[in-house]
């Protein structure tokens, strides 16, 4: 199956190297292909780490082990396997992950618990240990590669390589953040897996790094949806090498912490939106902003109810400012709402206010907005001050074609 | 837009009249069409009633008033308007409903609180009072019609008329149940609305009738999903005329209550499945049975997580026994599950057992099953004894065509 580049794709950005981070990729042959499919990232001694993982009750061994190891807050290496998710593979899958950790630990001289592994691709097939072993052996001495090479090597059916970067001034020093992510492209019987990796040369205490990642996750990665499905392997890891030489950031009271947090959050937001831009069959990027909700969390839930509604997503695909479907999605969210204070708009134009269609409604500006590639939906609940923005894409025949018509 | 009859359609059954129930339909002209669009059901004095309504936080006035009036447990009339849902229409919509109630009450000599009204169709446009008034006037003296006529008159974009019937022996007397329902067909900017009406000549205490409806609702109407979206108008009402002459059923201790409950439940199950059979674009009916869950409710939630997963539904459309996507949907349900005790099958054949693909797996019988029209998915969680069956349909290009390509 030949996947066309998403019409919402962005060019890969010019991203700075991060001191203390070395990227390498090799072909381990997880599938019968020539492309690089094993990415090995070596991190300097002293690198701190934080992570968020899928909430699936059926996670992969990679996620189970990663969740354990991240508690120590330290990392020396990351290995990403593409082409095989190694999920639902029982003890054989776990052995393959432990083998990779042991081999890297021996190769660079570190504790196996500081090696993080992710896998993405077909499920139900144990990761082949022989291929992994030969791949890791080659990766340990492979030449360094670029961010874009690594972004391509971690991808499966993504239609474009995804990277994001930002800088901040911390204690008078310029610190950099460079990050790559793979998104929700998938081919039967593969599963959507979002794998994101954020690297910075700032010195950041691991507990504070985890706090920042949790905060940003709640407003970025947890605010996107393509089709409401959640993978068994979703993972975002953040690594801070400390090579920039700043005094470690331990809390928001640390000098420069605000600037770092803003840059970190901006990178997370960019990464999350890139995933939506590569949603299967996506023709339009949809940003849904909910205001006036009972709380920010309530606003997020209402936003996701709208973003996950097939009826709303198909209406946007059909360029139809169908506010009735938005009312429906607000109503079913299970959150406080009042029909008679509810207002709904598209592209900054209200279609309904306080529970009734706008008098003398002019659909023309909404229709023009819906013809564009970046759509906004505004929902005011009219109850309180809670707000959130979530992102999704439209639902088109392309989604059906990728997920139904194509057979494994 | 010409909607083709669903390939999963069933013939309208031969349904007995219910003593005490008179059906009439007329053309009120809610849209520019010739078909009957106002259904008036007169119920004899002494009819008891029960109802379940949408949980949407943004319901229509019909739902708000129905929810209030059902508490009295008595009904004398039902009016169903097709072509206009009268939802999100503020005080003007409410006035139209109150006008219908008052007019019927005067016409047949009953309290307005014993008149139930439902509306389905376009939203955001107040139900035209003039059309409703002329329609009700005509309906009060119209000749009686058949169940199938009424089933057609309450429908909007359903592709076939839906009815179900059952009988039971209660205290030596044959009691009958006849019911009609309209389903989830919809055209932009209309909304899916499930409206179901169950009529019986049995004498049933209203509190017991409500108990039976709640119980059956939990295992039938609440166990179906087409696209996870919930309408602002969903309503199921049950009416018992008492004309069969049995001693009123007041609880499961009443003689014949078990037999009546079984017939009542069977009718609810038939109605619920008919709605799924007319899901937009449906090519296959999918029954998902979850066993071994922590509780029956947990099993139902896991079943709905699978039934609502676009990835599972597109896999069935593509006739792909993609158990990996079922694992994913179990994992995201937010219910107790353990990867290593999870088993998944299609058509009675296991694909994975206890967290691993079946050894020497033979896909041929699963592939044959997936080519059929009625698909079963079996999921054993392996934790406890909770179980549930839910029903859905596959997700095809037809759904996109109906909801996106067609413009209002």
């Amino acid at each position: 199956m030949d996947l066309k580049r998403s019409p919402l794709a962005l060019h890969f950005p010019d991203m700075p190297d991060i001191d203390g981070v070395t990227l390498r990729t090799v072909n381990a042959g997880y599938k019968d292909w020539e492309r690089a499919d094993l990415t090995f990232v070596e991190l300097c001694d002293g690198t701190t780490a934080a992570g968020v993982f899928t909430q699936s009750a059926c996670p992969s061994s990679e996620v189970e082990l990663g969740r354990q190891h991240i508690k120590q807050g330290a990392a020396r290496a990351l290995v990403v396997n593409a082409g095989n998710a190694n999920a639902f593979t029982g003890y054989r899958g776990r052995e393959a992950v432990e083998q990779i950790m042991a081999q890297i630990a021996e190769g660079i001289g570190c504790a196996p618990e500081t090696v993080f592994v992710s896998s993405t691709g077909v499920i139900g097939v144990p990761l082949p240990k022989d291929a992994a072993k030969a791949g890791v052996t080659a990766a340990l001495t492979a030449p360094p590669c670029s961010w874009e090479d690594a972004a391509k090597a971690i991808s499966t059916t993504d239609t474009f390589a995804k990277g994001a970067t930002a800088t901040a001034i911390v204690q008078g020093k310029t610190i950099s953040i460079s990050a790559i992510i793979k998104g929700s492209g998938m081919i039967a019987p593969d599963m959507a897996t979002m794998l994101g990796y954020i690297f910075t040369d700032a010195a950041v205490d691991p507990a504070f790094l985890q706090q920042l990642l949790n905060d940003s996750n709640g407003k970025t990665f947890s605010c996107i949806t393509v089709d409401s499905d959640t993978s068994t392997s979703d993972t975002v890891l953040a690594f801070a090498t400390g090579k920039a030489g700043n005094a470690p950031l331990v809390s928001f009271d640390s000098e420069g912490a605000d600037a770092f947090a803003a840059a970190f959050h901006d990178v997370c937001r960019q990464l999350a939106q890139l995933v939506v831009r590569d949603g299967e069959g996506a023709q339009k990027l949809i940003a849904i902003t909910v205001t006036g909700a009972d709380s920010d969390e309530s606003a997020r839930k209402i936003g996701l109810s709208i973003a996950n509604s097939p009826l709303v997503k198909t209406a946007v695909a059909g360029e139809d400012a169908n506010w009735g479907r938005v009312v429906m999605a607000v109503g079913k969210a299970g959150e406080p709402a009042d029909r008679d204070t509810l207002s709904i708009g598209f592209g900054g134009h209200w279609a309904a206010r306080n529970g009734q269609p706008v008098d003398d409604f002019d659909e023309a500006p909404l229709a023009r907005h819906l013809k564009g590639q970046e759509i906004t939906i505004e929902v005011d609940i009219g109850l309180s001050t809670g707000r959130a923005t979530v992102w999704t894409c439209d639902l088109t025949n392309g989604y059906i074609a990728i997920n139904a018509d194509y057979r494994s």
Side-chain angles (χ1 to χ4, degrees), chain A residues 3 53 57 63 67 73 94 108 142 150 154 174 196 198 263 278 301 375:
Chain A
L3 288 172
F53 300 90
V63 166
R67 212 180 256 149
R94 188 173 175 109
I108 66 170
I154 67 170
T174 298
I198 305 166
D278 209 4
K301 286 184 180 162
I375 308 303

Side-chain angles (χ1 to χ4, degrees), chain A residues 66-135:
Chain A
R67 212 180 256 149
Q68 281 173 32
H69 296 171
I70 203 69
K71 291 174 189 161
Q72 300 189 21
R76 287 297 310 284
L78 166 71
V79 173
V80 183
N81 306 302
N84 185 321
N86 196 35
F88 221 62
T89 52
Y91 70 93
R92 284 172 291 189
R94 188 173 175 109
E95 284 176 2
V97 181
E98 289 172 337
Q99 174 192 288
I100 292 172
M101 290 173 170
Q103 193 182 353
I104 293 279
E106 191 183 331
I108 66 170
C110 70
E113 294 76 28
T114 60
V115 180
F116 292 82
V117 179
S118 302
S119 301
T120 176
V122 64
I123 82 150
V125 178
L127 192 74
K129 282 171 153 184
D130 290 352
K133 188 165 188 177

Side-chain angles (χ1 to χ4, degrees), chain A residues 170-247:
Chain A
V170 173
Q171 300 160 18
K173 298 173 198 298
T174 298
I175 67 90
S176 299
I177 305 175
S178 290
I180 56 177
I181 196 163
K182 77 168 288 285
S184 56
M186 86 199 69
I187 295 185
D190 296 17
M191 291 200 297
T193 296
M194 185 185 77
L195 299 177
Y197 307 102
I198 305 166
F199 304 90
T200 179
D201 53 7
V204 190
D205 177 75
F208 186 52
L209 190 61
Q210 186 69 50
Q211 180 189 336
L212 293 179
L213 183 58
N214 290 348
D215 287 355
S216 286
N217 178 53
K219 293 178 182 161
T220 59
F221 304 113
S222 293
C223 287
I224 60 171
T225 178
V226 170
D227 58 10
S228 79
D229 282 337
T230 304
S231 134
T232 51
S233 308
D234 287 342
T235 297
V236 179
L237 296 169
F239 304 104
T241 65
K243 289 287 191 183
N246 62 294

Side-chain angles (χ1 to χ4, degrees), chain A residues 329-347:
Chain A
V330 172
K332 73 165 182 168
E335 291 296 314
D338 181 338
R339 185 189 63 205
D340 298 329
T341 62
L342 183 59
S343 301
I344 290 164
F346 291 82

Side-chain angles (χ1 to χ4, degrees), chain A residues 165-170 175 177 208 212 216 220 249 252 256-270:
Chain A
T165 187
T167 56
I169 305 293
V170 173
I175 67 90
I177 305 175
F208 186 52
L212 293 179
S216 286
T220 59
L249 304 174
F252 277 109
D258 285 333
F260 178 76
F264 186 87
H265 183 75
D266 185 53
V267 165
C268 290
R269 184 191 53 73
Q270 290 182 55

Side-chain angles (χ1 to χ4, degrees), chain A residues 295-328:
Chain A
S295 66
D296 289 353
E297 180 58 16
S298 179
R300 188 180 75 91
K301 286 184 180 162
I302 292 169
L304 285 175
S305 177
I306 300 166
N308 280 324
S309 164
L311 287 174
V312 172
K313 293 155 75 86
T314 49
V316 172
E319 304 185 341
D320 182 7
N322 194 319
W323 57 270
R325 297 188 182 177
V326 179
V327 175
M328 176 279 301

